[in-house]
Amino acid sequence: MEQLIKSTAAYSVLTGDKSCNRLSHAYMLDFSDAKNLKDALRIFALAFFGLDKNSVDGKRLLNGSLPDCVFYPAEGKKLTADAVNEIINESAMRPVEKPFKLFVVSSFEQASPLLQNKLLKTLEEPPAGVHFLLGATTLAPVLDTVKSRVKTLTVAPFSREEIFAALERGGANPLNTEAAKSCGGILGEAQNMVGGGWFGEVISAAREICTVTEVGDIGAVAVRYGDIKYKSELLKRIQQNYYEALCAKVNGEENEISAKWTEPALIYALESADKAGSDLKFNAFFQGLLYDYMLRVIEENVKWLKLQA
């Protein structure tokens, strides 16, 4: 994670502000990786103070014992009114050891509008030497009044190559390549795939589903995977398979899946996967959803095969 974060434009902006002695009074880290958001904030906090993680003060910051760097909310908790009051009261206190005090608030998107408004004045005009580093996995729930008072540092999704390299640094795994392709550029998603013990099952199921081209085979496959635990992940993997198959077909490089489908059928399969994902959110019966999806894709393929004959 550290190597990935330090390669981002967002990190360069903060370190540039630090080197030029023009640190903003408040930053908002826009980072969609919920699993690694807190670790990312710690890396940015180290840069804010100009500390090395292996130094005495760097270690104190990371373990929460540096008095001038305070982390909120408590582990496993959401930001509360009491915590916001504490931040406001503590911000009036002078720094203890460092030239300034930094309040780091994770998962800010989960804070209610009431709490965001309560913190607004302090964010806008903090006492001298007081700074804020807020972290959010999405900016949609953050009030515009808050966003207008912070300097946003956006970490874009990483490339497949970057994710794969990060996974390999954590340990070689035959699933690393597939996880890097399927995670949407979010390291935490890839880590969950590799470490959860379920990703191999999803890959295998998606591959079988994407190679069924006969209507008579649909029922057995739908029954086999109708109760799979990771339903949305399976649909995403199916869509990924069809996307890669379409790319292979367009580029004249057939693979196991693309060879079984016409190009229009692959396009239809991709579009239909979005609808299937939406239907799943409304608690659709997954076995029936899977059967219907496979049937429609096969019928589309048959239609185009007849037209091309």
Side-chain angles (χ1 to χ4, degrees), residues 257-277:
I257 296 173
S258 67
K260 293 178 176 291
W261 305 96
T262 62
E263 187 174 317
L266 288 171
I267 295 173
Y268 178 81
L270 285 171
E271 295 171 346
S272 298
D274 286 331
K275 182 181 184 304

Side-chain angles (χ1 to χ4, degrees), residues 9-19 23 27 44-45 47-48 153:
Y11 187 82
S12 297
V13 169
L14 181 65
T15 54
D17 288 354
K18 172 72 174 177
S19 64
L23 286 168
Y27 290 93
F44 276 87
F48 195 93
L153 304 171

